[in-house]
Amino acid sequence: MTDPNAIQPSALDQLPDRDPEETAEWQASLDAVTREAGPHRAAYLMRRTLERAEAGGIALPKLLETDYVNSIPTSAEPALPGDPEMEARITAWNRWNAAAMVTRGAKHGVGGHIATFASAAWLYETGFNHFFKGKEGDGSGDQLYIQGHASPGIYARAFLDGRLTEAHLDNFRQEAGGNGLPSYPHPRRLPWLWEFPTVSMGLGPLSAIYQARFNRYLTNRGIKDVSASHVWAFLGDGEMDEPESTAALALASREGLDNLTFVINCNLQRLDGPVRANFKIVQELEAQFRGAGWNVVKTLWGSAWDELFALDTTGALVRRLREVPDAQVQTYQTRDAAYIRADFFGKDPALAEMAKLLSDDKILECFHLSRGGHEARKVYAAYKAAVEHKGAPTVILAQTVKGHTLGDGFASKNANHQMKKLSVDEFKTMRDLLELPIKDSDFTDGVVPYGHPGADSPEVRYLQERRAALGGPAPARRTHALAPLPAPAEKAFASFDKGSGSQNVATTMAFVRLVKDLVRDKETGKRWVPIVPDEARTFGMESLFPSLGIYSPKGQTYEPVDRDQLMYYKEAKNGQILNEGITEAGSMADFIAASSSYATHGEAMIPFYIFYSMFGWQRTADQMWQLGDQLGRGFLVGATAGRTTLTGEGLQHADGHSPVIAATNPASLTYDPAFAYEIAVIVREGLRRMYGEAKPGEDQNVFYYLTVYNEPLPQPAKPQGLGIDEGIVKGLYRFNTAESAGLSPAANAARIQLLGSGTAIHWALEAQKLLAEEWGVAADVWSATSWTELRRDAMDADAALLRGEERVPFVRQALQGAEGPVLAVSDYMRQVPDQIAQWVEQDWSSLGADGFGLSDTRDAARRHFGVDAESIVVAALAQLARRGDVKATAVKEAREKYGL
């Protein structure tokens, strides 16, 4: 049996020991310290030795945790510039108005959060007064990712500096009247203030990392020097449970993003209770970030603790702070001095002696009030250390009390996240604590008043002067008056009009070829941002590697294995392609940063993100919503689309529903093009709408979702005739008739209209031929490029009718006079084409690939789902038979003939 106390073999056993005697002496010294001074002293010496080694550049594994104390000792803190007393008064007004706004709104039942900003007020105010650069100075200013639940405090500050009125505050969470404030940071709802939507927790941290990375990308590519911009992300310690919150930490340190700072408000509480009740969230986060290569600054204790640490000559206090779980720290916040003496100090004889030197008031000051995140000087020291640190991103772990200054009914209570209001008496207590000049008589009819020192008061002048010195108001979003991007040469688009002849070309390849031409455009080519989640070769994009280069801040420090090949793997510091590795979430964060660069940096960029369609909306639909909220523009491309085109991959890869999910996003224009020339028309229109001359009343803040397929098929020439491009853009046009297809139907032949989208149109064309040659039925084939846009147009027509305006939906206009019933088919579930059923005047039926996917050949999969050409024929005959247009026996005969 192995002795558990025996020294176990380690990696060091693999290294030769050049001086065993010296090694033995070091080990003996450690054993002696442990015997004579105890294990705590031995651990202390080991930590200090490792820290000294790290500071001296000796290659050793880093310590993942440090003591539960501030990283910056009081003696090393820089002096707080400005006027601390003035800043304290400004912060008091903001605390008051944030609480008043939510409380007044509670009368209308609209909700709101008070406790989060109460804990984080100094984290924001210190930044606004001394660090956050605005957009009216040089460059683009800083990018601020505000914690969603702290939005009342940001509104309160905007009220103090004159950007909001009392009417705005009284309409918090009441936007329908047109003068309200959205609940959280929503750029689409309040685009002059908010830049980044953050309340979908976890997406803010992820987006902040990729925003900092995109800033470097813009600078390194020579688009715009934004090296002075700093990204600040304000997060909650509970939010760090979200996997997206920490998903890209290694990317940030790997690329040395010292233009990024995370500020984590460690108030130790989630929505329902402690974040780590039996553990310590600060220590856990420190280890996580240090392990990922970040610079970690802990700001845990306020200045009241200085006396206690000075008395801690044995290290007992530091040890006790490390071992007390977070939930117990919360309990101390709500208990009296006697309880804290017994439970905290009474556990160790040395601490018990220390407690004798402390008054009850001192103990309560330390355990109830004094946290590092509540003192401007402590926060300033941490922020200064963050912006001055080079070579790695910084995380600041700031300990606070949730509900600080809101009274005993709020502070550290488990329920405080759901507590929406204070009573009048609680407000009066808060007023006295904050020393605000608000009279009892100001509480008219029990309604808490807003507080404002006056537009020309010293507080407001100070606030505005500080912001002017830092480059203007913050947060703020600016939509620059950018000139429309010039349209690329028509040649790039027109080259698809003639088709591919006898050559088989997948629509994925057609899209890639179009992009190759567009990125060569002298005017706009450099603005394209190709984004791929490690699938460029799957989509045939490897030819872009040597011409555009793959972005890497280090360039290429190695000789690629395929250097002697034409399409070698080329990385470059000014590379244009963002090849993200296997992370759809990271790729979407890239896309969001690039898609909103027109506002963030005043530089219009054209991102296109190409991905396995199944792994787009299904995995990252929350980020697509974030993209719409952030008013992003660009092209999402779902490649290897459809439920039956990706042979052999099975149900986890077979996308039969992404257009359904996309249809739920109002900012997404969803297209399922069948042919190469359709892709060209859609992309050309997308460039015009998002980046060119907008039509009156047209919303430019949209993005396009295109599905493209990996099935090589002949690409036909673009049909001649008026209205083809309009039909492609609006969602439907007639591709051919039985007559134009050369099928020569009889004059009295039964007729049906076949609507197909994407790859399904090829089955419809085959069915058209079978219907004519084997059943004497004439079929016209229509390309439905966008079921969703047809539906939206029809819904707009319905809304217009309610307003008394007569308007015919485009789908009804297009199909007007078309003979026979309509049969729609796609490579998606029937719900996709059925979106337009209620606006089609003809008899309607549809086919689709409902259910789970499966692994098999394309033909077998289509037969399984009943969407192949033969299944379309049987469905068409059944529809015609119900109308009496063909004999009922034809349906049975067709089923038997085709083995259905």
Side-chain angles (χ1 to χ4, degrees):
M1 185 173 179
T2 303
D3 180 0
N5 297 315
I7 298 176
Q8 300 299 313
S10 72
L12 294 178
D13 295 334
Q14 308 301 316
L15 303 176
D17 190 343
R18 295 184 302 176
D19 192 340
E21 288 187 18
E22 182 182 34
T23 303
E25 289 174 5
W26 277 76
Q27 292 172 337
S29 296
L30 178 63
D31 292 341
V33 170
T34 304
R35 284 193 308 271
E36 300 299 326
H40 296 303
R41 178 61 180 170
Y44 175 84
L45 291 175
M46 288 300 297
R47 286 200 303 275
R48 289 293 178 263
T49 302
L50 287 172
E51 289 170 358
R52 182 62 174 263
E54 183 179 338
I58 298 174
L60 284 173
K62 293 184 178 181
L63 286 170
L64 293 186
E65 288 186 34
T66 60
D67 287 324
Y68 202 68
V69 297
N70 295 346
S71 300
I72 304 171
T74 301
S75 60
E77 290 171 2
L80 180 64
D83 185 338
E85 291 185 6
M86 182 69 72
E87 292 174 19
R89 293 203 297 274
I90 291 170
T91 305
W93 285 115
N94 292 338
R95 286 182 181 278
W96 177 272
N97 288 322
M101 179 195 328
V102 176
T103 297
R104 288 167 68 128
K107 296 185 303 180
H108 307 289
V110 295
H113 301 285
I114 303 176
T116 295
F117 178 73
S119 67
W122 277 115
L123 302 180
Y124 290 106
E125 290 299 322
T126 304
F128 285 130
N129 288 325
H130 302 287
F131 291 95
F132 303 157
K133 295 186 287 291
K135 294 183 175 297
E136 295 173 3
D138 296 334
S140 301
D142 288 352
Q143 288 82 57
L144 308 180
Y145 288 77
I146 304 295
Q147 191 179 3
H149 293 147
S151 63
I154 309 305
Y155 290 139
R157 193 172 219 273
F159 169 64
L160 202 64
D161 73 9
R163 292 196 291 166
L164 293 176
T165 66
E166 285 195 16
H168 286 111
L169 300 193
D170 262 346
N171 284 299
F172 173 59
R173 292 193 171 197
Q174 299 172 76
E175 298 179 80
N179 196 33
L181 299 177
S183 53
Y184 302 125
H186 291 306
R188 185 168 286 276
R189 299 304 310 158
L190 201 62
W192 61 268
L193 180 72
W194 298 120
E195 275 196 286
F196 308 109
T198 53
V199 81
S200 187
M201 291 196 295
L203 298 189
L206 181 68
S207 293
I209 290 173
Y210 280 89
Q211 181 66 56
R213 197 281 197 90
F214 187 73
N215 290 357
R216 289 281 171 85
Y217 172 88
L218 283 181
T219 300
N220 288 337
R221 286 198 54 217
I223 302 292
K224 182 179 182 180
D225 184 357
V226 295
S227 54
S229 290
H230 200 89
V231 177
W232 301 82
F234 288 84
L235 318 167
D237 47 0
E239 182 177 3
M240 302 310 293
D241 287 344
E242 291 282 2
E244 294 89 349
S245 294
T246 56
L249 297 186
L251 168 74
S253 60
R254 185 169 64 244
E255 299 202 0
L257 298 181
D258 50 23
N259 60 339
L260 170 68
T261 297
F262 275 16
V263 181
I264 302 182
N265 177 16
C266 298
N267 57 34
L268 313 185
Q269 288 187 246
R270 287 198 192 105
L271 308 188
D272 290 331
V275 178
R276 293 289 183 273
N278 296 296
F279 307 94
K280 301 191 79 63
I281 186 60
V282 169
Q283 299 300 92
E284 180 181 320
L285 291 174
E286 178 184 29
Q288 196 168 13
F289 278 87
R290 282 187 183 276
W294 286 54
N295 175 46
V296 178
V297 177
K298 293 198 290 192
T299 302
L300 307 180
W301 306 111
S303 55
W305 283 81
D306 289 348
E307 180 182 342
L308 275 67
F309 288 125
L311 294 172
D312 185 29
T313 57
T314 66
L317 176 62
V318 173
R319 291 196 300 273
R320 182 69 178 132
L321 289 174
R322 281 178 62 89
E323 69 187 24
V324 175
D326 284 351
Q328 192 63 24
V329 173
Q330 264 188 278
T331 298
Y332 295 148
Q333 176 69 35
T334 63
R335 302 300 291 269
D336 60 20
Y339 178 89
I340 298 171
R341 284 183 187 279
D343 191 85
F344 181 84
F345 293 97
K347 303 289 186 180
D348 185 291
L351 289 181
E353 290 300 312
M354 179 191 297
K356 293 177 182 178
L357 304 175
L358 303 174
S359 67
D360 286 355
D361 287 344
K362 183 65 176 181
I363 289 175
L364 292 179
E365 180 187 13
C366 289
F367 283 85
H368 284 192
L369 301 174
S370 187
R371 300 291 187 272
H374 295 324
E375 294 189 14
R377 179 170 173 169
K378 304 289 185 185
V379 177
Y380 178 85
Y383 286 7
K384 190 171 188 292
V387 297
E388 292 178 354
H389 185 82
K390 300 303 177 186
T394 294
V395 59
I396 295 169
L397 303 175
Q399 186 165 263
T400 66
V401 174
K402 194 167 186 177
H404 182 60
T405 73
L406 297 181
D408 294 339
F410 265 82
S412 283
K413 294 297 176 65
N414 281 342
N416 61 20
H417 190 79
Q418 304 303 326
M419 296 162 68
K420 311 299 183 187
K421 59 184 178 180
L422 277 71
S423 68
V424 169
D425 287 341
E426 287 172 325
F427 265 109
K428 290 178 179 178
T429 301
M430 181 183 178
R431 172 202 61 190
D432 296 340
L433 175 65
L434 298 176
E435 299 180 349
L436 291 173
I438 296 173
K439 301 185 294 291
D440 286 355
S441 59
D442 293 334
F443 290 82
T444 306
D445 297 326
V447 176
V448 57
Y450 294 120
H452 200 292
D456 196 40
S457 65
E459 291 91 340
V460 173
R461 288 201 305 272
Y462 181 89
L463 182 155
Q464 293 175 341
E465 288 168 1
R466 291 305 309 142
R467 289 312 314 157
L470 288 165
R477 182 179 182 273
R478 295 287 184 267
T479 302
H480 303 264
L482 300 178
L485 293 183
E490 182 62 25
K491 181 181 177 181
F493 305 103
S495 62
F496 293 91
D497 290 354
K498 61 185 178 181
S500 64
S502 60
Q503 182 183 5
N504 289 338
V505 177
T507 52
T508 297
M509 293 308 302
F511 176 82
V512 171
R513 180 186 147 191
L514 176 61
V515 169
K516 286 180 185 177
D517 291 339
L518 293 175
V519 296
R520 295 191 189 104
D521 185 85
K522 291 182 180 179
E523 295 289 336
T524 60
K526 68 178 182 179
R527 298 192 176 276
W528 284 86
V529 183
I531 303 168
V532 196
D534 197 37
E535 290 280 7
R537 297 183 192 277
T538 300
F539 308 135
M541 294 175 61
E542 64 270 26
S543 62
L544 297 177
F545 290 168
S547 58
L548 301 183
I550 299 166
Y551 173 74
S552 171
K554 289 186 175 294
Q556 193 153 40
T557 61
Y558 60 92
E559 184 177 354
V561 68
D562 53 0
R563 181 64 180 85
D564 56 344
Q565 298 179 17
L566 181 63
M567 294 184 288
Y568 69 97
Y569 195 83
K570 177 187 175 184
E571 296 189 78
K573 191 172 183 179
N574 64 345
Q576 194 164 350
I577 301 170
L578 292 173
N579 194 352
E580 280 309 341
I582 306 175
T583 167
E584 287 81 10
S587 299
M588 268 306 302
D590 265 336
F591 187 92
I592 291 169
S595 71
S596 52
S597 180
Y598 71 93
T600 308
H601 295 299
E603 294 287 344
M605 304 299 287
I606 312 171
F608 80 86
Y609 165 34
I610 188 167
F611 49 89
Y612 262 63
S613 63
M614 185 64 160
F615 304 149
W617 287 90
Q618 176 159 302
R619 286 195 179 184
T620 58
D622 197 9
Q623 286 177 288
M624 272 79 162
W625 196 268
Q626 178 190 6
L627 167 64
D629 200 359
Q630 199 164 314
L631 309 176
R633 306 169 184 174
F635 296 95
L636 296 176
V637 184
T640 59
R643 184 147 276 164
T644 71
T645 60
L646 193 56
T647 53
E649 292 286 356
L651 85 171
Q652 285 191 325
H653 285 63
D655 172 22
H657 53 280
S658 69
V660 177
I661 307 174
T664 66
N665 191 311
S668 174
L669 277 60
T670 303
Y671 286 88
D672 186 24
F675 305 123
Y677 66 80
E678 294 178 350
I679 291 173
V681 170
I682 294 165
V683 171
R684 181 179 60 195
E685 170 65 9
L687 290 172
R688 181 207 63 77
R689 176 165 180 175
M690 294 185 291
Y691 301 97
E693 292 282 358
K695 297 175 182 177
E698 189 173 54
D699 185 6
Q700 286 190 285
N701 299 316
V702 296
F703 60 91
Y704 281 65
Y705 175 53
L706 280 70
T707 52
V708 294
Y709 298 81
N710 69 328
E711 186 172 10
L713 291 164
Q715 294 296 323
K718 185 177 179 180
Q720 299 298 309
L722 297 174
I724 298 297
D725 284 9
E726 180 189 25
I728 291 172
V729 171
K730 290 192 172 181
L732 184 68
Y733 69 97
R734 182 154 47 193
F735 176 73
N736 71 13
T737 63
E739 291 77 9
S740 65
L743 298 175
S744 304
N748 61 346
R751 187 174 290 270
I752 190 169
Q753 309 298 317
L754 301 180
L755 277 57
S757 68
T759 196
I761 203 168
H762 295 281
W763 324 328
L765 289 168
E766 187 179 346
Q768 178 190 44
K769 186 176 180 181
L770 291 174
L771 283 166
E773 295 178 350
E774 300 182 8
W775 306 98
V777 172
D780 301 337
V781 176
W782 299 69
S783 179
T785 54
S786 179
W787 309 102
T788 303
E789 287 306 294
L790 291 173
R791 174 180 175 80
R792 287 176 176 170
D793 171 79
M795 292 172 66
D796 287 345
D798 286 354
L801 188 62
L802 291 175
R803 297 192 301 268
E805 304 169 19
E806 196 67 38
R807 207 185 112 199
V808 180
F810 179 79
V811 64
R812 190 169 293 167
Q813 295 177 43
L815 290 171
Q816 187 174 15
E819 297 179 38
V822 168
L823 174 60
V825 60
S826 80
D827 203 16
Y828 296 94
M829 56 197 300
R830 289 176 60 183
Q831 186 175 340
V832 175
D834 284 349
Q835 292 179 85
I836 66 169
Q838 74 182 82
W839 293 281
V840 174
E841 293 181 316
Q842 292 87 345
D843 292 341
W844 171 273
S845 65
S846 63
L847 296 174
D850 285 78
F852 287 110
L854 76 167
S855 301
D856 214 312
T857 64
R858 292 185 179 114
D859 289 342
R862 285 162 189 167
R863 177 54 61 91
H864 169 80
F865 286 112
V867 292
D868 59 348
E870 292 80 3
S871 298
I872 294 173
V873 169
V874 173
L877 292 174
Q879 202 173 2
L880 291 167
R882 285 195 295 271
R883 294 162 49 94
D885 294 345
V886 300
K887 295 180 180 178
T889 56
V891 182
K892 182 174 182 294
E893 292 171 12
R895 280 202 301 266
E896 293 173 351
K897 180 181 179 72
Y898 301 132
L900 295 177

